[in-house]
Amino acid sequence: MQGDAPDHARATEAMIDRLSRAAGPVRPLPPPWKRVPGWLALALGFAVAMIWAIGPRPDLAERLVDARFLLEQGAALATAIAAAMAALALTVPGMGRGWRLVPVLPGTLWLGTLGLGCLRDWAAMGPEGLRLSPDPACFTFIALIGSLPVVVLYMMLRRGVPLAPRLTLALAVLASAAIGNFALRFFHMQDVALMVLVWQVGAVMLMAALAALAGRRILRWSDSGLPA
Amino acid sequence: MGNADVEDMVQDILLSLHRARASWDPTRPFLPWLVTIARNRLADNARRYARRNALDLAVRDITETFCDVPTNGGAESVVNFLAVREAMNSLSPTERRAVELVRLREMSLVEAAEESGSTVAAMKVAVHRAMLKLRTALRAKE
């Protein structure tokens, strides 16, 4: 091993030369907070189109003045924004590990409002308020509405560096699915907190968990942009 | 881990820095950016290295890894050992003793002569003749 060291060192020198010759100008990556608004506009635009296509719920006007509905929806949207921002920040080296905690607060608020909602439903309706019936359509709708945002966010993440692929992809899917759930509640007549918590938020969390499992395979260092 | 492995890692980090160069913001400090990428690549490589080592350990005890006989290090050395032992049997007792002392135990001719109660000149001749015989015997095997 000792004898071939100079050869390897020479190979490294040659590679440095090749890389520095090939290092053309690149478009620097804007910080996450400047990239999220564009993504959000696109995701919400797609969501509005889907709501329009499926048809909004008939009691939408009532819902829009209901503080609890607004709080739950606000928390879902805040979770989506925070998760998208954290995912983008995780692909920038040296951004600091604190970024991964950004979605914790809105996420807790989201789960908290729904948890409180369960208690309130129970107080108002008794056991009926905590009855769980299957609602598989939620999963499909959330996946459908989240599909375009997640593809766009994935392409944005590819411009960065896959430093923590599992967490990054899980956050990206969380952000997109949260947008899906946000939109879902504008046309899906389901406000029982436990049902929302289990079937809707449950679907979002399941998708994020699956993304975490596949993260290392999907987000990887690419060979693109390398000199031959 | 040898020099070549270390150099591979350095090259991998350099390539990664090249790929990641769009993510560096000139308004932010350079060192954390550099260190994060280097540490990330080192962790990835360590993971790969550990996986490869585990595999190496798993196949270490399997003697026959290939169909071709010469590529099997273990089998080849066994064949060589048997051939040499057979060739050694063709030597006279004095010659065999000389080879044992001078070539296998790596004694000097003076020490070997003392050990076997012989002279340096006789030792020299015995070793020379033994080597000639061994060479002929082994060549005949090929």
mmCIF file with all atom_site columns, all heavy atoms in Angstrom, chain A residues 138-157:
data_model
loop_
_atom_site.group_PDB
_atom_site.id
_atom_site.type_symbol
_atom_site.label_atom_id
_atom_site.label_alt_id
_atom_site.label_comp_id
_atom_site.label_asym_id
_atom_site.label_entity_id
_atom_site.label_seq_id
_atom_site.pdbx_PDB_ins_code
_atom_site.Cartn_x
_atom_site.Cartn_y
_atom_site.Cartn_z
_atom_site.occupancy
_atom_site.B_iso_or_equiv
_atom_site.pdbx_formal_charge
_atom_site.auth_seq_id
_atom_site.auth_comp_id
_atom_site.auth_asym_id
_atom_site.auth_atom_id
_atom_site.pdbx_PDB_model_num
ATOM 1   N N   . CYS A 1 138 ? -59.973 9.509  2.000   1.00 0.00 ? 138 CYS A N   1
ATOM 2   C CA  . CYS A 1 138 ? -59.041 10.559 2.432   1.00 0.00 ? 138 CYS A CA  1
ATOM 3   C C   . CYS A 1 138 ? -57.646 10.317 1.874   1.00 0.00 ? 138 CYS A C   1
ATOM 4   O O   . CYS A 1 138 ? -57.012 11.229 1.341   1.00 0.00 ? 138 CYS A O   1
ATOM 5   C CB  . CYS A 1 138 ? -58.935 10.588 3.950   1.00 0.00 ? 138 CYS A CB  1
ATOM 6   S SG  . CYS A 1 138 ? -60.468 11.003 4.734   1.00 0.00 ? 138 CYS A SG  1
ATOM 7   N N   . PHE A 1 139 ? -57.192 9.089  2.004   1.00 0.00 ? 139 PHE A N   1
ATOM 8   C CA  . PHE A 1 139 ? -55.829 8.755  1.595   1.00 0.00 ? 139 PHE A CA  1
ATOM 9   C C   . PHE A 1 139 ? -55.628 9.076  0.109   1.00 0.00 ? 139 PHE A C   1
ATOM 10  O O   . PHE A 1 139 ? -54.662 9.725  -0.287  1.00 0.00 ? 139 PHE A O   1
ATOM 11  C CB  . PHE A 1 139 ? -55.579 7.257  1.864   1.00 0.00 ? 139 PHE A CB  1
ATOM 12  C CG  . PHE A 1 139 ? -54.135 6.864  1.764   1.00 0.00 ? 139 PHE A CG  1
ATOM 13  C CD1 . PHE A 1 139 ? -53.328 6.848  2.891   1.00 0.00 ? 139 PHE A CD1 1
ATOM 14  C CD2 . PHE A 1 139 ? -53.567 6.534  0.543   1.00 0.00 ? 139 PHE A CD2 1
ATOM 15  C CE1 . PHE A 1 139 ? -51.991 6.490  2.804   1.00 0.00 ? 139 PHE A CE1 1
ATOM 16  C CE2 . PHE A 1 139 ? -52.231 6.174  0.444   1.00 0.00 ? 139 PHE A CE2 1
ATOM 17  C CZ  . PHE A 1 139 ? -51.441 6.159  1.578   1.00 0.00 ? 139 PHE A CZ  1
ATOM 18  N N   . THR A 1 140 ? -56.602 8.645  -0.694  1.00 0.00 ? 140 THR A N   1
ATOM 19  C CA  . THR A 1 140 ? -56.501 8.861  -2.140  1.00 0.00 ? 140 THR A CA  1
ATOM 20  C C   . THR A 1 140 ? -56.463 10.347 -2.466  1.00 0.00 ? 140 THR A C   1
ATOM 21  O O   . THR A 1 140 ? -55.625 10.802 -3.261  1.00 0.00 ? 140 THR A O   1
ATOM 22  C CB  . THR A 1 140 ? -57.724 8.227  -2.836  1.00 0.00 ? 140 THR A CB  1
ATOM 23  O OG1 . THR A 1 140 ? -58.003 6.993  -2.200  1.00 0.00 ? 140 THR A OG1 1
ATOM 24  C CG2 . THR A 1 140 ? -57.459 8.013  -4.304  1.00 0.00 ? 140 THR A CG2 1
ATOM 25  N N   . PHE A 1 141 ? -57.378 11.112 -1.849  1.00 0.00 ? 141 PHE A N   1
ATOM 26  C CA  . PHE A 1 141 ? -57.444 12.541 -2.158  1.00 0.00 ? 141 PHE A CA  1
ATOM 27  C C   . PHE A 1 141 ? -56.161 13.268 -1.722  1.00 0.00 ? 141 PHE A C   1
ATOM 28  O O   . PHE A 1 141 ? -55.636 14.117 -2.441  1.00 0.00 ? 141 PHE A O   1
ATOM 29  C CB  . PHE A 1 141 ? -58.667 13.184 -1.485  1.00 0.00 ? 141 PHE A CB  1
ATOM 30  C CG  . PHE A 1 141 ? -59.945 12.941 -2.242  1.00 0.00 ? 141 PHE A CG  1
ATOM 31  C CD1 . PHE A 1 141 ? -61.046 12.369 -1.621  1.00 0.00 ? 141 PHE A CD1 1
ATOM 32  C CD2 . PHE A 1 141 ? -60.049 13.285 -3.591  1.00 0.00 ? 141 PHE A CD2 1
ATOM 33  C CE1 . PHE A 1 141 ? -62.226 12.143 -2.325  1.00 0.00 ? 141 PHE A CE1 1
ATOM 34  C CE2 . PHE A 1 141 ? -61.221 13.065 -4.304  1.00 0.00 ? 141 PHE A CE2 1
ATOM 35  C CZ  . PHE A 1 141 ? -62.321 12.484 -3.658  1.00 0.00 ? 141 PHE A CZ  1
ATOM 36  N N   . ILE A 1 142 ? -55.684 12.922 -0.529  1.00 0.00 ? 142 ILE A N   1
ATOM 37  C CA  . ILE A 1 142 ? -54.474 13.585 -0.035  1.00 0.00 ? 142 ILE A CA  1
ATOM 38  C C   . ILE A 1 142 ? -53.295 13.274 -0.951  1.00 0.00 ? 142 ILE A C   1
ATOM 39  O O   . ILE A 1 142 ? -52.516 14.145 -1.336  1.00 0.00 ? 142 ILE A O   1
ATOM 40  C CB  . ILE A 1 142 ? -54.176 13.156 1.420   1.00 0.00 ? 142 ILE A CB  1
ATOM 41  C CG1 . ILE A 1 142 ? -55.232 13.747 2.357   1.00 0.00 ? 142 ILE A CG1 1
ATOM 42  C CG2 . ILE A 1 142 ? -52.778 13.617 1.851   1.00 0.00 ? 142 ILE A CG2 1
ATOM 43  C CD1 . ILE A 1 142 ? -55.154 13.241 3.783   1.00 0.00 ? 142 ILE A CD1 1
ATOM 44  N N   . ALA A 1 143 ? -53.200 11.983 -1.373  1.00 0.00 ? 143 ALA A N   1
ATOM 45  C CA  . ALA A 1 143 ? -52.112 11.595 -2.271  1.00 0.00 ? 143 ALA A CA  1
ATOM 46  C C   . ALA A 1 143 ? -52.239 12.312 -3.604  1.00 0.00 ? 143 ALA A C   1
ATOM 47  O O   . ALA A 1 143 ? -51.243 12.779 -4.182  1.00 0.00 ? 143 ALA A O   1
ATOM 48  C CB  . ALA A 1 143 ? -52.123 10.086 -2.476  1.00 0.00 ? 143 ALA A CB  1
ATOM 49  N N   . LEU A 1 144 ? -53.479 12.426 -4.092  1.00 0.00 ? 144 LEU A N   1
ATOM 50  C CA  . LEU A 1 144 ? -53.714 13.066 -5.392  1.00 0.00 ? 144 LEU A CA  1
ATOM 51  C C   . LEU A 1 144 ? -53.317 14.546 -5.354  1.00 0.00 ? 144 LEU A C   1
ATOM 52  O O   . LEU A 1 144 ? -52.566 15.030 -6.214  1.00 0.00 ? 144 LEU A O   1
ATOM 53  C CB  . LEU A 1 144 ? -55.198 12.912 -5.758  1.00 0.00 ? 144 LEU A CB  1
ATOM 54  C CG  . LEU A 1 144 ? -55.608 13.456 -7.120  1.00 0.00 ? 144 LEU A CG  1
ATOM 55  C CD1 . LEU A 1 144 ? -55.031 12.580 -8.215  1.00 0.00 ? 144 LEU A CD1 1
ATOM 56  C CD2 . LEU A 1 144 ? -57.137 13.498 -7.232  1.00 0.00 ? 144 LEU A CD2 1
ATOM 57  N N   . ILE A 1 145 ? -53.794 15.255 -4.325  1.00 0.00 ? 145 ILE A N   1
ATOM 58  C CA  . ILE A 1 145 ? -53.519 16.689 -4.270  1.00 0.00 ? 145 ILE A CA  1
ATOM 59  C C   . ILE A 1 145 ? -52.052 16.950 -3.902  1.00 0.00 ? 145 ILE A C   1
ATOM 60  O O   . ILE A 1 145 ? -51.460 17.942 -4.321  1.00 0.00 ? 145 ILE A O   1
ATOM 61  C CB  . ILE A 1 145 ? -54.491 17.380 -3.276  1.00 0.00 ? 145 ILE A CB  1
ATOM 62  C CG1 . ILE A 1 145 ? -55.931 17.136 -3.735  1.00 0.00 ? 145 ILE A CG1 1
ATOM 63  C CG2 . ILE A 1 145 ? -54.226 18.872 -3.178  1.00 0.00 ? 145 ILE A CG2 1
ATOM 64  C CD1 . ILE A 1 145 ? -56.969 17.550 -2.729  1.00 0.00 ? 145 ILE A CD1 1
ATOM 65  N N   . GLY A 1 146 ? -51.462 16.028 -3.150  1.00 0.00 ? 146 GLY A N   1
ATOM 66  C CA  . GLY A 1 146 ? -50.064 16.223 -2.765  1.00 0.00 ? 146 GLY A CA  1
ATOM 67  C C   . GLY A 1 146 ? -49.080 15.819 -3.850  1.00 0.00 ? 146 GLY A C   1
ATOM 68  O O   . GLY A 1 146 ? -47.889 16.095 -3.735  1.00 0.00 ? 146 GLY A O   1
ATOM 69  N N   . SER A 1 147 ? -49.582 15.148 -4.908  1.00 0.00 ? 147 SER A N   1
ATOM 70  C CA  . SER A 1 147 ? -48.659 14.582 -5.902  1.00 0.00 ? 147 SER A CA  1
ATOM 71  C C   . SER A 1 147 ? -47.823 15.645 -6.612  1.00 0.00 ? 147 SER A C   1
ATOM 72  O O   . SER A 1 147 ? -46.594 15.522 -6.676  1.00 0.00 ? 147 SER A O   1
ATOM 73  C CB  . SER A 1 147 ? -49.442 13.758 -6.920  1.00 0.00 ? 147 SER A CB  1
ATOM 74  O OG  . SER A 1 147 ? -50.372 14.595 -7.585  1.00 0.00 ? 147 SER A OG  1
ATOM 75  N N   . LEU A 1 148 ? -48.473 16.672 -7.130  1.00 0.00 ? 148 LEU A N   1
ATOM 76  C CA  . LEU A 1 148 ? -47.708 17.688 -7.864  1.00 0.00 ? 148 LEU A CA  1
ATOM 77  C C   . LEU A 1 148 ? -46.755 18.439 -6.927  1.00 0.00 ? 148 LEU A C   1
ATOM 78  O O   . LEU A 1 148 ? -45.561 18.576 -7.242  1.00 0.00 ? 148 LEU A O   1
ATOM 79  C CB  . LEU A 1 148 ? -48.642 18.659 -8.592  1.00 0.00 ? 148 LEU A CB  1
ATOM 80  C CG  . LEU A 1 148 ? -47.915 19.726 -9.401  1.00 0.00 ? 148 LEU A CG  1
ATOM 81  C CD1 . LEU A 1 148 ? -47.290 19.117 -10.645 1.00 0.00 ? 148 LEU A CD1 1
ATOM 82  C CD2 . LEU A 1 148 ? -48.838 20.871 -9.793  1.00 0.00 ? 148 LEU A CD2 1
ATOM 83  N N   . PRO A 1 149 ? -47.242 18.907 -5.759  1.00 0.00 ? 149 PRO A N   1
ATOM 84  C CA  . PRO A 1 149 ? -46.302 19.594 -4.851  1.00 0.00 ? 149 PRO A CA  1
ATOM 85  C C   . PRO A 1 149 ? -45.081 18.751 -4.500  1.00 0.00 ? 149 PRO A C   1
ATOM 86  O O   . PRO A 1 149 ? -43.970 19.269 -4.426  1.00 0.00 ? 149 PRO A O   1
ATOM 87  C CB  . PRO A 1 149 ? -47.147 19.871 -3.605  1.00 0.00 ? 149 PRO A CB  1
ATOM 88  C CG  . PRO A 1 149 ? -48.536 19.915 -4.095  1.00 0.00 ? 149 PRO A CG  1
ATOM 89  C CD  . PRO A 1 149 ? -48.619 18.968 -5.248  1.00 0.00 ? 149 PRO A CD  1
ATOM 90  N N   . VAL A 1 150 ? -45.269 17.455 -4.303  1.00 0.00 ? 150 VAL A N   1
ATOM 91  C CA  . VAL A 1 150 ? -44.122 16.643 -3.873  1.00 0.00 ? 150 VAL A CA  1
ATOM 92  C C   . VAL A 1 150 ? -43.125 16.474 -5.020  1.00 0.00 ? 150 VAL A C   1
ATOM 93  O O   . VAL A 1 150 ? -41.908 16.471 -4.800  1.00 0.00 ? 150 VAL A O   1
ATOM 94  C CB  . VAL A 1 150 ? -44.565 15.296 -3.272  1.00 0.00 ? 150 VAL A CB  1
ATOM 95  C CG1 . VAL A 1 150 ? -44.781 14.227 -4.323  1.00 0.00 ? 150 VAL A CG1 1
ATOM 96  C CG2 . VAL A 1 150 ? -43.524 14.803 -2.282  1.00 0.00 ? 150 VAL A CG2 1
ATOM 97  N N   . VAL A 1 151 ? -43.626 16.376 -6.244  1.00 0.00 ? 151 VAL A N   1
ATOM 98  C CA  . VAL A 1 151 ? -42.704 16.249 -7.390  1.00 0.00 ? 151 VAL A CA  1
ATOM 99  C C   . VAL A 1 151 ? -41.887 17.533 -7.537  1.00 0.00 ? 151 VAL A C   1
ATOM 100 O O   . VAL A 1 151 ? -40.663 17.502 -7.717  1.00 0.00 ? 151 VAL A O   1
ATOM 101 C CB  . VAL A 1 151 ? -43.493 15.926 -8.681  1.00 0.00 ? 151 VAL A CB  1
ATOM 102 C CG1 . VAL A 1 151 ? -42.595 16.042 -9.893  1.00 0.00 ? 151 VAL A CG1 1
ATOM 103 C CG2 . VAL A 1 151 ? -44.077 14.522 -8.598  1.00 0.00 ? 151 VAL A CG2 1
ATOM 104 N N   . VAL A 1 152 ? -42.582 18.667 -7.429  1.00 0.00 ? 152 VAL A N   1
ATOM 105 C CA  . VAL A 1 152 ? -41.883 19.951 -7.570  1.00 0.00 ? 152 VAL A CA  1
ATOM 106 C C   . VAL A 1 152 ? -40.866 20.128 -6.449  1.00 0.00 ? 152 VAL A C   1
ATOM 107 O O   . VAL A 1 152 ? -39.707 20.513 -6.683  1.00 0.00 ? 152 VAL A O   1
ATOM 108 C CB  . VAL A 1 152 ? -42.905 21.112 -7.571  1.00 0.00 ? 152 VAL A CB  1
ATOM 109 C CG1 . VAL A 1 152 ? -42.188 22.450 -7.550  1.00 0.00 ? 152 VAL A CG1 1
ATOM 110 C CG2 . VAL A 1 152 ? -43.805 21.016 -8.781  1.00 0.00 ? 152 VAL A CG2 1
ATOM 111 N N   . LEU A 1 153 ? -41.275 19.796 -5.228  1.00 0.00 ? 153 LEU A N   1
ATOM 112 C CA  . LEU A 1 153 ? -40.371 19.951 -4.085  1.00 0.00 ? 153 LEU A CA  1
ATOM 113 C C   . LEU A 1 153 ? -39.166 19.019 -4.227  1.00 0.00 ? 153 LEU A C   1
ATOM 114 O O   . LEU A 1 153 ? -38.026 19.382 -3.911  1.00 0.00 ? 153 LEU A O   1
ATOM 115 C CB  . LEU A 1 153 ? -41.131 19.668 -2.782  1.00 0.00 ? 153 LEU A CB  1
ATOM 116 C CG  . LEU A 1 153 ? -40.458 20.095 -1.476  1.00 0.00 ? 153 LEU A CG  1
ATOM 117 C CD1 . LEU A 1 153 ? -39.999 21.538 -1.541  1.00 0.00 ? 153 LEU A CD1 1
ATOM 118 C CD2 . LEU A 1 153 ? -41.390 19.892 -0.302  1.00 0.00 ? 153 LEU A CD2 1
ATOM 119 N N   . TYR A 1 154 ? -39.411 17.824 -4.748  1.00 0.00 ? 154 TYR A N   1
ATOM 120 C CA  . TYR A 1 154 ? -38.317 16.872 -4.977  1.00 0.00 ? 154 TYR A CA  1
ATOM 121 C C   . TYR A 1 154 ? -37.296 17.459 -5.953  1.00 0.00 ? 154 TYR A C   1
ATOM 122 O O   . TYR A 1 154 ? -36.084 17.380 -5.726  1.00 0.00 ? 154 TYR A O   1
ATOM 123 C CB  . TYR A 1 154 ? -38.888 15.553 -5.518  1.00 0.00 ? 154 TYR A CB  1
ATOM 124 C CG  . TYR A 1 154 ? -37.842 14.594 -6.020  1.00 0.00 ? 154 TYR A CG  1
ATOM 125 C CD1 . TYR A 1 154 ? -37.017 13.916 -5.129  1.00 0.00 ? 154 TYR A CD1 1
ATOM 126 C CD2 . TYR A 1 154 ? -37.657 14.380 -7.381  1.00 0.00 ? 154 TYR A CD2 1
ATOM 127 C CE1 . TYR A 1 154 ? -36.046 13.044 -5.580  1.00 0.00 ? 154 TYR A CE1 1
ATOM 128 C CE2 . TYR A 1 154 ? -36.693 13.511 -7.852  1.00 0.00 ? 154 TYR A CE2 1
ATOM 129 C CZ  . TYR A 1 154 ? -35.885 12.846 -6.946  1.00 0.00 ? 154 TYR A CZ  1
ATOM 130 O OH  . TYR A 1 154 ? -34.924 11.997 -7.407  1.00 0.00 ? 154 TYR A OH  1
ATOM 131 N N   . MET A 1 155 ? -37.793 18.073 -7.013  1.00 0.00 ? 155 MET A N   1
ATOM 132 C CA  . MET A 1 155 ? -36.862 18.655 -7.989  1.00 0.00 ? 155 MET A CA  1
ATOM 133 C C   . MET A 1 155 ? -36.078 19.809 -7.365  1.00 0.00 ? 155 MET A C   1
ATOM 134 O O   . MET A 1 155 ? -34.903 20.023 -7.660  1.00 0.00 ? 155 MET A O   1
ATOM 135 C CB  . MET A 1 155 ? -37.622 19.109 -9.232  1.00 0.00 ? 155 MET A CB  1
ATOM 136 C CG  . MET A 1 155 ? -38.175 17.912 -9.992  1.00 0.00 ? 155 MET A CG  1
ATOM 137 S SD  . MET A 1 155 ? -38.749 18.226 -11.664 1.00 0.00 ? 155 MET A SD  1
ATOM 138 C CE  . MET A 1 155 ? -39.850 19.572 -11.471 1.00 0.00 ? 155 MET A CE  1
ATOM 139 N N   . MET A 1 156 ? -36.752 20.559 -6.487  1.00 0.00 ? 156 MET A N   1
ATOM 140 C CA  . MET A 1 156 ? -36.047 21.652 -5.798  1.00 0.00 ? 156 MET A CA  1
ATOM 141 C C   . MET A 1 156 ? -34.977 21.093 -4.858  1.00 0.00 ? 156 MET A C   1
ATOM 142 O O   . MET A 1 156 ? -33.880 21.647 -4.746  1.00 0.00 ? 156 MET A O   1
ATOM 143 C CB  . MET A 1 156 ? -37.052 22.518 -5.020  1.00 0.00 ? 156 MET A CB  1
ATOM 144 C CG  . MET A 1 156 ? -38.003 23.294 -5.920  1.00 0.00 ? 156 MET A CG  1
ATOM 145 S SD  . MET A 1 156 ? -39.362 24.026 -4.990  1.00 0.00 ? 156 MET A SD  1
ATOM 146 C CE  . MET A 1 156 ? -38.560 25.466 -4.319  1.00 0.00 ? 156 MET A CE  1
ATOM 147 N N   . LEU A 1 157 ? -35.308 19.990 -4.193  1.00 0.00 ? 157 LEU A N   1
ATOM 148 C CA  . LEU A 1 157 ? -34.342 19.389 -3.253  1.00 0.00 ? 157 LEU A CA  1
ATOM 149 C C   . LEU A 1 157 ? -33.132 18.830 -3.992  1.00 0.00 ? 157 LEU A C   1
ATOM 150 O O   . LEU A 1 157 ? -32.015 18.838 -3.474  1.00 0.00 ? 157 LEU A O   1
ATOM 151 C CB  . LEU A 1 157 ? -35.017 18.257 -2.458  1.00 0.00 ? 157 LEU A CB  1
ATOM 152 C CG  . LEU A 1 157 ? -36.099 18.680 -1.478  1.00 0.00 ? 157 LEU A CG  1
ATOM 153 C CD1 . LEU A 1 157 ? -36.809 17.457 -0.923  1.00 0.00 ? 157 LEU A CD1 1
ATOM 154 C CD2 . LEU A 1 157 ? -35.510 19.496 -0.341  1.00 0.00 ? 157 LEU A CD2 1
#
